[in-house]
Amino acid sequence: MDLEETAARLGVPVEEIDRVHELAGDRPSAPLPAKADAPALLDRLAVRPDDAAEIMAGWPDPGSPLWTPELRWLLDRSIALVRADLGGHVWLAPGPELPRDRGLAWRHLYVYAYLALVDVVREYHREHDIPDTVSWLTLADLGRNLAVDRRMHREGWPVMQSWLTLHARGGLYELGRLQHQRGGTAIDLHIPEAGPLTPEAIDASLDEARAFFPRHFPDEPYTAFACGSWLLDPQLLQYLPESSNIVRFQRRFELEPYEEPEGLDADVEVLRFVFRSLTTPLDQLPRNTALQRAAADHLKSGHHWQWRRGHFPI
């Protein structure tokens, strides 16, 4: 492949194609599931019918005019890139952000990569004796994220394509209300869009994790739960009552000293998660919940949110 020509045809910086080429090298890829099996798999992954219909319509069949040689190369090497880091637990970009309005192959290329890796990561799960129920619940975050991306008018995916490589490598597990990410000496907590953040649901998820990780990853000695989120911003206490589930979640953590996060804008993350929009003018944002009113009022007054990290012992 001529990497410069490939980058030009994909409309992305050549440095990003160089990165894929260097990380994937000649490492093995993985095949997509048979097209006939795909509808059942998409259903198992909680992909909504409207998203599933698009994925099936853009399927990379041999000879499909939707799939140019450079798109097929990127799909194959993105699968290889992620597979090469099986068992990894840090954020990993599977490839460049593509101009997704150019067609279904462009829009869902990294979805096809995820589908190709389902059998790979499930074999990794089996090697660690992880129950099928946990595997499928974890991997079904694909459908949830596709639905969010659709609600965000396709604004969400550049972040989500990297986020989902955690699931596809065995780096993250959904245990009850929370998602738990391996790494270092702390289990990082993530909060999916999956109902109220009640103390009872949090306690149950933490108890499940306390049993899960020593059983399935005995060589990884975890001593703490940790979280990095705008949800831990103490400024929320100015707006939300003590009885708020968010406040009660925040009270669990000992906050680390504040440092401006590199490459992350907390205001943007609040817009992403609270309103599922990055472009709606502030005075047009919905105000249906106490959190929405707090988020909007804070920004409209010229203040900024903070991304904070905290931890507490296991």
Side-chain angles (χ1 to χ4, degrees):
M1 293 291 295
D2 184 316
L3 299 185
E4 289 190 5
E5 183 178 346
T6 298
R9 290 182 175 177
L10 291 173
V12 301
V14 67
E15 294 79 14
E16 297 192 30
I17 297 302
D18 281 340
R19 173 185 172 274
V20 172
H21 177 67
E22 290 174 7
L23 291 180
D26 59 358
R27 294 178 174 86
S29 184
L32 268 76
K35 189 175 181 180
D37 298 332
L41 177 60
L42 293 172
D43 184 63
R44 195 80 188 262
L45 297 174
V47 176
R48 290 169 33 134
D50 45 7
D51 292 316
E54 284 194 359
I55 292 165
M56 295 305 299
W59 197 263
D61 292 312
S64 168
L66 300 175
W67 286 84
T68 63
E70 55 272 9
L71 283 173
R72 291 186 185 276
W73 176 86
L74 180 59
L75 174 60
D76 180 77
R77 291 299 84 199
S78 293
I79 297 168
L81 186 159
V82 177
R83 183 174 188 174
D85 195 46
L86 186 65
H89 42 69
V90 299
W91 281 65
L92 177 69
E97 178 183 344
L98 296 174
R100 299 173 70 220
D101 58 353
R102 291 179 63 175
L104 294 178
W106 301 77
R107 181 178 300 166
H108 294 308
L109 185 142
Y110 296 112
V111 175
Y112 299 115
Y114 188 94
L115 297 178
L117 290 160
V118 166
D119 281 349
V120 174
V121 74
R122 289 199 66 232
E123 177 60 29
Y124 177 84
H125 288 175
R126 284 190 289 271
E127 290 171 359
H128 289 270
D129 296 320
I130 291 166
D132 269 358
T133 52
V134 173
S135 293
W136 287 115
L137 181 62
T138 299
L139 294 172
D141 205 26
L142 174 68
R144 179 190 290 140
N145 278 273
L146 283 169
V148 168
D149 184 54
R150 182 177 287 272
R151 283 164 51 197
M152 292 182 69
H153 306 290
R154 311 299 184 188
E155 294 176 333
W157 195 256
V159 169
M160 295 172 187
Q161 70 188 40
S162 297
W163 161 248
L164 289 165
T165 68
L166 290 169
H167 311 57
R169 289 175 290 145
L172 176 141
Y173 298 90
E174 189 159 335
L175 307 172
R177 181 62 185 86
L178 301 175
Q179 294 163 321
H180 299 256
Q181 179 183 348
R182 297 164 49 214
T185 58
I187 298 166
D188 259 20
L189 304 177
H190 301 276
I191 305 148
E193 189 178 84
L197 196 66
T198 65
E200 296 77 13
I202 300 303
D203 287 340
S205 182
L206 296 176
D207 284 344
E208 191 172 349
R210 290 183 179 107
F212 178 89
F213 285 96
R215 180 182 303 130
H216 302 293
F217 297 96
D219 297 331
E220 298 178 8
Y222 294 109
T223 60
F225 291 109
C227 185
S229 174
W230 55 271
L231 284 171
L232 300 189
D233 187 343
Q235 295 177 103
L236 284 167
L237 303 179
Q238 302 170 23
Y239 300 95
L240 301 178
E242 285 290 329
S243 60
S244 161
N245 285 335
I246 290 174
V247 170
R248 289 189 285 183
F249 179 73
Q250 188 178 119
R251 295 292 194 198
R252 295 174 184 265
F253 294 86
E254 177 183 344
L255 289 184
E256 300 172 6
Y258 178 66
E259 294 183 8
E260 190 75 28
E262 184 177 350
L264 191 151
D265 186 326
D267 290 346
V268 171
E269 296 309 301
V270 168
L271 293 172
R272 182 190 309 279
F273 286 98
V274 177
F275 302 104
R276 296 305 189 187
S277 175
L278 304 181
T279 55
T280 303
L282 291 180
D283 59 1
Q284 295 179 26
L285 290 171
R287 301 174 58 83
N288 301 320
T289 67
L291 180 59
Q292 288 179 339
R293 292 189 291 275
D297 288 346
H298 192 76
L299 293 172
K300 286 174 68 176
S301 66
H303 299 299
H304 297 283
W305 293 107
Q306 295 180 352
W307 185 271
R308 299 299 299 267
R309 281 197 64 83
H311 61 271
F312 59 91
I314 286 184

